[in-house]
Amino acid sequence: MAEPLDALLGRVKAALARGFVPAPGEAEPAPALVVEGEALFARFASELAQAGGELTKLRASEAPARAVALAAELGARSFARWHTAIVEPVARALAKAGLEEIAPADASEARERFHALDLGVTCADAAIAETGTLLLRHGEGRMRLATAMARYHLAIVPRARLVASLTDVPRLARAGGALPANAVLVTGPSRTADIEGVQVLGMHGALRLFVFLTEE
Amino acid sequence: MIQPGFRERMRLAVLDERLGRALEKTTSHLVRKRDEAFAQLEDSDRQRDLARAAKLRALAHLDENLAAFAARCRENGIVVHAARTAGDAAELIAGLAEGRGSVIKSKSMATEEVNLNDLLEARGVHVVETDLGEWAVQLAREKPSHIVVPALHKTKEQFAELIGLKVGETLPADPAGLVTVARRALRREFIAAGVGISGVNMGIAETGTIVLVTNEGNGRLVTSGPPLHIALMGIEKVVETLADATQILRVLARAGSGQKLTTYTSFISGPRRPGDPDGPEEVHLILLDNGRTEYLASELWESLLCIRCGVCLSACPVYQKVGGHAYASTYPGPIGLLATHMVRPDEKEALVDGPHASTLCGACLEACPLRIDIPRMLIALRKKGVEEKKVPLAERAFAAGYAALATRPLAWRLALAASGKAASLVGRDGFLPSLPSLLGRWTGVRDLPAPPSTPFRAWFAGRHG
């Protein structure tokens, strides 16, 4: 069955002592992608599009109305959301526009009630231009299933959180502390090509990913 | 029942024209995507070097790194176990899962390696694969045939039939429609599941973190919904730091599918914390040896650098022609020949036939993001097969005979002269279309140019005395 960890470690040490694995060099830092200003935005826009995401650049104050318009266009009737300052005004607007907010009390209720969840609304902790990727750190008020199960995912990201390089991920994922129990890098909507190589979106995760990049 | 040998399986695969067309289409597409992705990557050679260096550092201090990884995981609330053999790992997982409800799985080569699903089913545990290709393969009661595209051998009609049978409807063979049906059906399984089982792409020692990559999002569902998450990890998957993991991510998807990154990359550092609205209550991690420490202690250690991107399969002219099932192993293709021997070292086919299922062309080495020298290691395995006298006697005798001639100049010259005379008796239009016994197989598909009646050195001496 299980063996003591020390037994495994002992075997590994003995194996290494045979001397086949060469001594590695010193760790060198990986090249960072350096892009700034308008070029930074352009790179993010291009990569996000390539990954199948849909970008809207707008002022933060415009986000609630745009979100309501988007929900109407998608025919969304239900939404779930993160409880953060950025999301709050958008959530209020969606509720006022008649969408039902599903706010489960716990995870097992979430699994049941998110079965047909239309829209997941979150912010993102960072947007990475190199690959058109969003970083989402989960935790209190920041449910994973709100995006993992929703048909559509709307991420609201302040422009200030846009960075150039994947090499920034370690720092950003930690956000000055430890890693949360769960964080995810999201690059476009869910996809599969398992059936004869034909690309289909929305296998398990979001069918469409919308990014609102906001400026004050 | 006697299993057909490797050669026979390959022969049958080559005769399967539909399989050949599917393989041609998918592998050429994947290789082209890989090439495009690396052409677009800034400073790609250096990026690959750095990714390789990160894996090398992890392996070179694997004992310390595994110890640190386990310690950090435990601090994060992950229960860490070690399993020496495939059987141990499967038993351990079955023991944890039993009585906890139904199981949903995201794609994991390691769980295939230890035959986990068979054991769970034998124990009466309901198991469902959630990756679309893996689910189709499970429904068909087959094994996957490629690391990245497990059901590449299936047509959309076959998908429609399998999924239709499962949900009790007749379904059109339309990929988008089938995905919608699959999403709904698998969602029901997800909601009911008590256990989520996943593999691990990388284990980060610095932070006690499991990294899991998918395109479909099933990895997220499997590791976030059910109250119990069990992860199985080969010990070679450890990397030292978050920065190392990021660098490997930079090349992993580019090589495997031509994407910059897969859609979802999860960083799992424990079960849910107080205040977390969702996430599993328990996370268990099983560290799997199953031959890896043996390989670490040999010249075959380099195969442990593999990040399981699958591109060597797509680049390999042998795999391109026969597909994954001919290898009859969890791990097909070039790296698969090594991984199969690693987990089945006592199996003659793994030692003798496998390493010869290669032309040593080096396409795998060229395509590999970490430049793993698979041909070198296949030659080492071939040598091992000879040394352990597992290679057939006739072949060893032939090689020994040839070596004896080739190291004796006089005997060699006599043999040359004799062969020239013999060739003039059996040759046709300057070719030897077939030769007896061992050489018969080789000449069965080649016409060997006949040795001339006057050997070259005699002709040269005559010309230039």
Side-chain angles (χ1 to χ4, degrees):
Chain A
M1 287 274 289
E3 61 169 346
L5 182 63
D6 283 339
L8 168 63
L9 296 176
R11 257 193 337 273
V12 171
K13 191 160 175 187
L16 289 171
R18 300 290 313 280
F20 283 97
V21 182
E26 283 297 313
E28 288 167 56
L33 177 71
V34 177
V35 168
E36 284 159 354
E38 266 313 298
L40 175 62
F41 170 76
R43 176 68 184 251
F44 178 72
S46 156
E47 294 293 348
L48 181 69
Q50 263 185 67
E54 301 171 66
L55 178 64
T56 304
K57 194 169 147 188
L58 73 180
R59 284 206 304 276
S61 55
E62 292 171 318
R66 280 302 266 280
V68 168
L70 177 63
E73 185 192 311
L74 297 172
R77 288 201 301 259
S78 60
F79 75 102
R81 45 78 156 233
W82 279 8
H83 294 270
T84 69
I86 289 172
V87 172
E88 192 56 40
V90 170
R92 269 201 307 262
L94 288 171
K96 204 159 154 214
L99 274 82
E100 182 202 352
E101 178 176 347
I102 306 183
D106 58 38
S108 94
E109 195 187 322
R111 281 203 284 169
E112 287 287 337
R113 297 187 63 199
F114 284 175
H115 179 83
L117 176 65
D118 289 327
L119 180 63
V121 186
T122 71
C123 59
D125 296 278
I128 301 150
E130 182 178 333
T131 49
T133 297
L134 301 176
L135 168 67
L136 272 62
R137 302 176 76 246
H138 298 109
E140 186 153 359
R142 292 155 155 254
M143 203 166 219
R144 314 172 195 193
L145 295 179
T147 58
M149 291 182 80
R151 191 144 194 75
Y152 308 107
H153 175 193
L154 168 60
I156 303 157
V157 193
R159 174 91 181 244
R161 294 188 186 175
L162 181 57
V163 300
S165 180
L166 273 180
T167 50
D168 287 321
V169 165
R171 175 179 57 85
L172 294 166
R174 286 180 170 119
L179 288 175
N182 186 289
V184 69
L185 292 174
V186 177
T187 309
S190 152
R191 60 178 67 239
T192 179
D194 274 338
I195 304 178
E196 291 195 7
V198 175
Q199 283 278 342
V200 181
L201 300 180
M203 179 59 222
H204 287 285
L207 172 67
R208 290 171 77 176
L209 169 67
F210 302 95
V211 178
F212 282 6
L213 198 65
T214 64
E215 296 193 274
E216 277 317 305
Chain B
M1 184 165 144
I2 297 170
Q3 298 285 75
F6 204 162
R7 189 177 301 277
E8 180 64 11
R9 293 196 303 269
M10 293 175 103
R11 192 183 71 80
L12 292 171
V14 168
L15 292 173
D16 184 343
E17 279 179 33
R18 198 198 52 75
L19 175 64
R21 279 193 301 273
L23 282 168
E24 160 80 40
K25 185 168 152 217
T26 307
T27 57
S28 61
H29 174 77
L30 286 172
V31 170
R32 200 180 52 245
K33 298 288 295 178
R34 171 239 174 256
D35 289 343
E36 279 166 17
F38 276 98
Q40 277 172 32
L41 177 60
E42 287 97 354
D43 211 357
S44 73
D45 280 344
R46 183 161 156 70
Q47 304 273 14
R48 288 163 74 185
D49 288 342
L50 289 169
R52 184 186 165 100
K55 286 285 290 186
L56 181 55
R57 244 176 296 113
L59 274 191
H61 303 294
L62 188 60
D63 50 343
E64 289 162 26
N65 288 327
L66 267 176
F69 176 60
R72 286 301 88 67
C73 282
R74 283 170 172 164
E75 279 164 28
N76 287 340
I78 299 173
V79 182
V80 180
H81 316 256
R84 183 164 189 174
T85 66
D88 288 341
E91 274 293 335
L92 236 173
I93 297 174
L96 289 168
E98 251 177 306
R100 298 294 303 260
S102 61
V103 171
I104 47 169
K105 288 186 64 210
S106 68
K107 185 163 61 181
S108 159
M109 307 301 304
T111 62
E112 296 279 343
E113 181 186 324
V114 307
N115 271 314
L116 177 65
N117 289 9
D118 287 347
L119 183 62
L120 287 174
E121 277 163 24
R123 295 279 164 88
V125 178
H126 176 66
V127 187
V128 181
E129 293 286 346
T130 57
D131 173 273
L132 179 60
E134 288 284 347
W135 188 47
V137 157
Q138 183 187 36
L139 291 173
R141 307 204 73 73
E142 286 173 16
K143 300 281 178 199
S145 65
H146 188 287
I147 289 175
V148 169
V149 198
L152 105 78
H153 58 289
K154 293 241 165 287
T155 62
K156 56 185 190 289
E157 286 77 18
Q158 287 170 325
F159 268 93
E161 200 184 312
L162 287 163
I163 298 174
L165 215 66
K166 176 73 188 166
V167 302
E169 290 168 44
T170 312
L171 300 171
D174 154 56
L178 291 170
V179 163
T180 304
V181 174
R183 181 188 169 106
R184 247 198 333 260
L186 288 170
R187 190 141 292 197
R188 275 196 290 275
E189 298 283 351
F190 161 65
I191 287 169
V195 186
I197 297 180
S198 77
V200 173
N201 290 94
M202 290 181 280
I204 305 175
E206 186 187 25
T207 53
T209 300
I210 289 166
V211 180
L212 192 61
V213 310
T214 75
N215 275 318
E216 298 184 2
N218 54 326
R220 294 192 67 202
L221 293 184
V222 163
T223 60
S224 294
L228 170 60
H229 169 209
I230 304 171
L232 179 63
M233 182 183 117
I235 56 174
E236 84 283 15
K237 295 296 184 64
V238 168
V239 300
E240 289 187 336
T241 65
L242 200 37
D244 283 343
T246 307
Q247 186 56 24
I248 289 164
L249 288 172
R250 249 181 180 169
V251 302
L252 172 58
R254 282 179 197 268
S257 57
Q259 298 169 283
K260 305 266 170 49
L261 288 178
T262 56
T263 307
Y264 303 105
T265 307
S266 293
F267 295 83
I268 296 162
S269 308
R272 58 143 62 134
R273 297 190 188 158
D276 281 4
D278 56 12
E281 277 142 36
E282 289 174 71
V283 178
H284 287 253
L285 172 69
I286 289 101
L287 300 172
L288 177 65
D289 184 347
N290 202 29
R292 288 154 175 80
T293 49
E294 287 295 315
Y295 258 46
L296 197 59
S298 80
E299 63 198 314
L300 305 167
W301 69 271
E302 200 190 354
S303 64
L304 298 174
L305 293 176
C306 177
I307 56 179
R308 298 289 188 255
C309 74
V311 77
C312 61
L313 279 64
S314 304
C316 175
V318 176
Y319 180 92
Q320 284 170 4
K321 285 284 172 295
V322 303
H325 286 158
Y327 293 79
S329 166
T330 300
Y331 301 106
I335 196 65
L337 298 175
L338 294 163
T340 301
H341 174 259
M342 180 177 80
V343 309
R344 310 208 292 245
D346 297 326
E347 189 189 270
K348 179 156 162 246
E349 185 181 292
L351 178 58
V352 174
D353 297 282
H356 282 86
S358 163
T359 62
L360 302 177
C361 69
C364 53
L365 166 55
E366 216 174 283
C368 175
L370 272 49
R371 301 195 193 88
I372 296 169
D373 195 345
I374 296 171
R376 170 185 73 80
M377 290 186 277
L378 291 177
I379 291 172
L381 270 186
R382 292 181 186 190
K383 186 164 170 235
K384 196 168 151 67
V386 170
E387 283 165 357
E388 293 185 10
K389 299 196 162 54
K390 297 276 174 32
V391 171
L393 178 62
E395 198 178 314
R396 280 184 283 128
F398 179 83
Y402 181 87
L405 272 182
T407 50
R408 292 170 174 77
L410 179 61
W412 179 258
R413 281 205 293 275
L414 289 172
L416 262 190
S419 73
K421 299 289 184 295
S424 58
L425 293 172
V426 304
R428 247 183 291 158
D429 300 323
F431 281 94
L432 298 173
S434 79
L435 288 173
S437 133
L438 261 181
L439 296 170
R441 262 210 311 250
W442 202 76
T443 54
V445 292
R446 295 174 185 81
D447 283 339
L448 187 61
S453 44
T454 311
F456 173 77
R457 58 177 70 210
W459 172 90
F460 188 82
R463 270 323 235 1
H464 303 275

